Structures are given as C-alpha cells and as structure tokens.
C-alpha cells in the first residue's frame, strides 16, 4: 500500500498480459472432445497458425537478425518450435532461403508493430516481412496437451502422467473416473513415448490377490507382450512383468540402500525379487545371499546373475524368508570357516617402457606392459546388512532375528571390530509430516522383535540400542507412504537363545 492506495498493475501492463494470453492461445491444441469410448483421431489435432515472418535475403545475416529480434522481443518464442524455417515459397525454399518466425504481435500489414529491427532491415532491403502459415500437427502437442484436449475439464486436475515403466511396457493404475477414456489415454501415452510399445492397466490390488505382488492386467494399447528388459544401476534385468514384481519408481531407493554396502561385506537380501539390490551389490564385490519365495522371481534372479556375471558374489535361493534370515547367517559363517573366497585377476596399471639409447637386440621380447594384479575377497563370517523389501509384511519377519548369532559373541565388538548387522525394513504407514508414522513403525518393530525400539536420529548414527532411522521412500496413496526403517540389531536379540 502506498499513499493510501493499494498498488496494482498499470493499465498498460494488464493489456500486455491480456495480449500475451491471447497470442499464446494460438499455440494451444484444438478442443477435441471424443466422448467416453471414442476413438483417437489424430487428424483432428491439426491446427493452422497465421504469423508474420522475416524473409531474409542473405543467409549470412540470419544469425545476426535472429539475435537482434530476440533482444527486441519480436522473435517467436514458443517451446518446441524453431524460429528458423524454410521460405514458404517452394521455389525459394528449394534454393535454401530461410525465414525467421515473428512474435504473434507483429502483423504483416501493420509496420507500426514491426519494431526498429524489422523496419530498418526492410528499408535496407535485407528482409521482407511476409505472412506465414505455421502448421501444427498431432506430433507437436505434448501428452498433457493432447489429454486436456480430449478429456472433459473436470478430469484435468489429475491427468494420468506418472506411471511405471518396465522396458517397453507402461503400467497404468487408472482411477475409476478415467476408465471410460482408458483406450484414448493409453494411445496418447504410447504415441508420446517412443520407447513404449505396450500400455497396460492394473485391474486388481497388488499384494492383496497375490503373495508375490503380481497383478491382473488388461492391455489398453499395443501387443500383449510383457517380456521386458530393463537397465538399472549398470545391470540388465530380463523378466516377464506379469510374473514378477518390478517398480521403476524404486530405482533411487535401490541405489540409496546399495550405497550402504562396502566391497567384501556380506548382505542378506531376504525378499530379493529379481535382484535390484543384489545384482548391483555383486558388481561392487559384495557377497549377497539373495532369496525370493516366488519361483518365477528365483528363475529370473538366477538367469540375471549369469547375464550380469556376478555369480562369484551373488548366491540365489528360493525359500521362505522367515527361515532364510537365520539360514543366511549360518551359511555365511560356514563359508568363511571353510575359507571360501573370490580371487580376481585383472590387468594392473600400464607401465612406461624404459628409455634406451640402443635399439633392442634381435630376438628380444619385451615384458608385458600390464602385469596382472590379484584381488582376493574372502567370505566374511558375519552379515553386515539385511534388506527386507516387502513393505506389506516385512516387519512381521523381524522375529526371526532372535538368536541369529547365538553363542557367536566372539565375532563382534568388543571382541572384534565388527558391529552387529544393520537391518533395512521397508513398510507402509500413514502419510504424515509429524512423528506419527515413526512412532507407529517403532511400535510394530517392538511388537515383532520383542525389544523396545524408538525413533533415532536421521544420520544413521545408530550406536544406541533400539534406535531406528526412518526414511520416507515415496507416497503410494493419498494417505499412505512407503518407509524404510533402519536399525542395528540389538545384542539382546542377536545373542538370544533361538526358539
């Protein structure tokens, strides 16, 4: 407020804003309301936009005029449209003559709208301001542009834009109010994403109908081909998307957990799936006991271990996770006591040849410039990390840690430098910014673990027994989030008597 008046935009500023809105509306898609169940007609999205253009006589000055027109705000500035175009006259266009598209406010027949750059260029006969009909077709519009054009206004707030991608498959989870338009939505997604060939929609609740987190689906666009190949963390994963669990939105979480692991450590991946934690860890020279109860996941896991050449470090299993937690700890200790190890021979640093004043004698054979270097990784006697990525029920498995290292206190501090393992448990809880989700998760851990757990600091400095660091992984529903609870296994649980 100034001088008893509320500051407001000047009349000229308001008019400029209104003019900008009108001009930019030229580049919005045509309204194509197809109706529920209608077919996508791409030809209906063609739109003609009448503009002015500066036809440049000498190609050598195009760059100069482009810069000057941009500085004077007379250049067309619209996303995904190049302002440099061939001359609309076919003969001149064939000769390589170019035009510069101008802002919609510039009118061919109104020199007062041209500005100084165009007026002076016209006077020097270096350019001519001509009409130009710009054609925008279906391929120009973004997926959101196209869906807003097709869908009724009441559906514009939550247009399907985020979806899982597995190789060439896009996996939608459409809400009920979008189902009448599902075929159109799928066609648009396939059109606007060149790597997508098949679009499917989930028709049940993941985890409710299948303990292996697979789902029933319907094909909305493309072929019913769910044999896919994905690359994540420098590993290749081949699988059938209908038979195993895969979520492309978890890549950052996979990477976050993998960054905890150090070469030469042992990790137990209790619900490994097809190996998004295990395979990249194996490439980092981490020993992994990787388990999944789904026979199809186990089959893919074995195949992908071979494909990614991590068989020396990653061991696949197909067992119940409740039993596997203790089995992995026992197996790692047995392997260590047997002296199992991985020996890797690789070329060392390139040696510089010695300088000599005399040429080499006849028959002289120089030694190798890259001597072999040997790296040895013995299997450690203890597991450093347990990963439990089954958010619907993983917390219920933590009771299996009781007595996991019964009578093995000598393997850990203070007798050695080895700390008890970190446990990473994924789970679902209330979506909230306060402490309620953390308190709830700790209460559930306490119940199943049989040891009092409490929220700890956020820096993973988990020296105090029972401290839990809880990381918010992602939102999965309006009132539900996925979390990862990380804690160091309490000594009272690890060294307890097994049930």
């Amino acid at each position: 407020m100034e001088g008893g008046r509320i500051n407001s935009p000047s009349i000229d500023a308001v008019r400029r804003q209104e003019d900008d809105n009108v001009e930019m509306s030229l580049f919005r898609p045509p309204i194509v309301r197809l109706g529920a169940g209608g077919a996508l007609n791409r030809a209906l999205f063609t739109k003609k936009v009448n503009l002015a253009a500066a036809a440049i006589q000498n190609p050598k000055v195009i760059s100069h005029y482009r810069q000057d027109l941009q500085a004077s705000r007379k250049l067309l500035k619209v996303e995904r449209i190049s302002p440099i175009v061939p001359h609309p006259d076919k003969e001149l266009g064939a000769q390589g003559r170019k035009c510069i598209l101008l802002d919609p406010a510039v009118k061919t027949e109104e020199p007062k709208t041209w500005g100084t750059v165009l007026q002076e260029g016209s006077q020097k006969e270096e350019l001519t301001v001509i009409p130009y009909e710009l054609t925008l077709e279906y391929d120009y519009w973004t997926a959101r542009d196209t869906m807003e054009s097709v869908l009724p206004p009441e559906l514009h707030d939550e247009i399907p834009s985020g979806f899982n991608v597995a190789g060439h498959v896009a996996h939608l989870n459409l809400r009920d109010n979008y189902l009448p338009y599902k075929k159109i939505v799928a066609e648009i997604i396939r059109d606007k994403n060149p790597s997508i060939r098949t679009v499917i929609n989930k028709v049940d609740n993941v985890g409710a109908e299948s303990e292996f987190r697979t789902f029933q689906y319907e094909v909305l666009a493309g072929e019913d081909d769910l044999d896919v190949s994905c690359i994540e963390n420098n590993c290749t994963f081949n699988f059938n998307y209908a038979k195993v669990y895969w979520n492309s939105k978890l890549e950052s979480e996979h990477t976050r957990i993998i960054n905890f692991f150090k070469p030469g450590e042992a990790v137990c991946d209790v619900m490994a799936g097809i190996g998004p934690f295990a395979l990249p860890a194996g490439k980092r020279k981490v020993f992994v006991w990787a388990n999944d109860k789904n026979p199809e996941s186990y089959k893919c896991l074995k195949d992908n271990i071979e494909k990614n050449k991590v068989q020396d470090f990653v061991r696949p299993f197909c067992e119940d996770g409740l039993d596997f937690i203790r089995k992995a700890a026992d197996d790692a200790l047995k392997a260590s006591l047997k002296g199992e190890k991985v020996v890797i021979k690789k070329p060392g640093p390139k040696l510089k040849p010695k300088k000599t004043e005399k040429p080499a004698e006849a028959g002289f054979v120089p030694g190798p410039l890259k001597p072999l270097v040997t790296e040895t990784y013995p299997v450690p006697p203890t597991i450093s990390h347990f990963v439990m990525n089954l958010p619907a029920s993983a917390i219920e498995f933590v009771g299996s840690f009781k007595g996991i290292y019964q009578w093995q206190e000598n393997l850990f501090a203070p007798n050695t430098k080895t700390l008890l393992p970190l446990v990473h448990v994924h789970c679902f809880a209330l979506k909230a910014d306060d402490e309620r989700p953390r308190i709830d998760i700790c209460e559930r851990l306490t119940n199943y673990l049989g040891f009092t757990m409490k929220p700890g600091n956020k820096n993973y400095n988990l020296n105090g027994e029972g401290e839990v660091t809880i990381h918010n992984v992602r939102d999965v529903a309006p009132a539900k989030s996925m979390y990862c609870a990380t804690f160091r296994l309490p000594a009272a649980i690890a060294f307890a008597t097994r049930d």
Side-chain angles (χ1 to χ4, degrees), residues 268-309:
C268 174
D269 193 353
V270 185
M271 301 93 174
I274 62 171
F277 295 105
L279 270 60
K283 284 202 170 184
R284 293 186 176 205
K285 315 289 192 303
V286 175
F287 293 97
V288 185
W289 271 254
N291 173 71
D292 201 274
K293 192 177 179 181
N294 181 355
E296 187 66 28
S297 294
Y298 171 67
K299 176 178 175 293
C300 292
L301 176 61
K302 287 201 303 180
D303 291 345
N304 289 321
I305 286 171
E306 296 290 331
K307 178 177 288 294
N308 289 276
K309 300 179 180 179

Side-chain angles (χ1 to χ4, degrees), residues 194-229:
S195 63
I196 299 298
R197 301 198 309 271
T198 300
V199 182
I200 64 174
N201 183 46
K202 184 179 70 175
V203 295
D204 61 17
N205 183 21
V206 174
E209 284 74 16
S210 169
E211 64 174 317
F212 301 140
R213 292 189 286 177
T214 55
F215 58 92
Q216 297 297 314
Y217 67 93
E218 58 179 337
V219 176
L220 301 182
E223 298 180 0
D224 188 358
D225 174 16
L226 269 62
D227 288 323
V228 302
S229 180

Side-chain angles (χ1 to χ4, degrees), residues 32 53 88 126 138 162 214 227 229 259 262 288 290 292 297 305 308-311 329 354 359 422 431 460:
V32 183
E126 292 181 348
Y138 175 77
T214 55
D227 288 323
S229 180
N259 285 335
K262 297 177 182 178
V288 185
D292 201 274
S297 294
I305 286 171
N308 289 276
K309 300 179 180 179
V310 292
Q311 59 269 28
K354 293 181 179 180
L422 282 178
K431 175 185 175 182
Y460 296 93

Side-chain angles (χ1 to χ4, degrees), residues 14-27:
V14 172
R15 285 175 177 168
R16 282 197 299 272
Q17 183 63 44
E18 290 175 348
D19 289 345
D20 288 344
N21 291 339
V22 171
E23 291 159 5
M24 288 304 101
S25 70
L26 295 171
F27 301 94

